[in-house]
Amino acid sequence: MIEQNRSAFIIWAFDSEIGAGDALTNVNLVKERVLSAVNPESYVDAIESQLPSDFSITQRQKVKLDQYEALRLIIEMREPSIKEAMYIIKSGNTIWVVTYATGADEFDSRLPTFEQSANTLRVEP
């Protein structure tokens, strides 16, 4: 996926310590140019139908980050058991998506760190 969309991925980083559930905790930042009519909600509606069947969006909530309004999704994957916090921000004609993923058993304890990190995000106009 990264090789096919090299220009979309700005950051992809992994924690060097593998958790108890054998999941690699990671963060990635993606940007995508969109039409001006596209907002975070319609963007999610479009990608939701493309999610594999073992993924489910369990929470969709507007949140205020330090600098931006964002749409936060909590996404769960059944096998392996992974949970993600995804923040979607629109700036001009660009959608920025930052995703934090970890083993489901570690998610609740890592979520405050993910939120702290998301609040430091600064995107280009």
Side-chain angles (χ1 to χ4, degrees):
M1 184 169 66
I2 295 172
E3 287 182 7
Q4 292 174 353
N5 298 293
R6 288 178 191 222
S7 64
F9 288 90
I10 308 303
I11 296 172
W12 195 307
F14 295 89
D15 186 342
S16 60
E17 303 277 328
I18 296 177
D22 293 333
L24 271 174
T25 299
N26 67 86
V27 60
N28 68 73
L29 176 63
V30 175
K31 74 174 186 174
E32 183 175 350
R33 300 280 296 163
V34 295
L35 299 173
S36 59
V38 174
N39 60 38
E41 292 82 5
S42 61
Y43 183 83
V44 170
D45 290 343
I47 63 170
E48 187 172 18
S49 64
Q50 299 175 21
L51 285 175
S53 62
D54 56 341
F55 282 81
S56 62
I57 297 174
T58 59
Q59 185 183 107
R60 180 191 278 209
Q61 174 183 8
K62 288 184 181 181
V63 295
K64 174 79 170 122
L65 299 178
D66 187 41
Q67 299 285 318
Y68 309 100
E69 295 289 327
L71 184 62
R72 184 181 73 188
L73 306 177
I74 303 298
I75 301 171
E76 294 185 35
M77 181 177 170
R78 285 190 288 277
E79 281 300 320
S81 184
I82 295 173
K83 207 166 177 181
E84 302 177 344
M86 178 183 287
Y87 296 85
I88 301 157
I89 301 162
K90 183 170 184 198
S91 177
N93 281 2
T94 303
I95 291 279
W96 297 86
V97 180
V98 61
T99 305
Y100 302 89
T102 193
D105 58 332
E106 298 178 51
F107 184 82
D108 290 338
S109 65
R110 290 185 181 255
L111 184 58
T113 303
F114 296 161
E115 290 176 341
Q116 183 180 12
S117 174
N119 274 298
T120 66
L121 185 67
R122 304 290 181 268
V123 299
E124 64 186 31

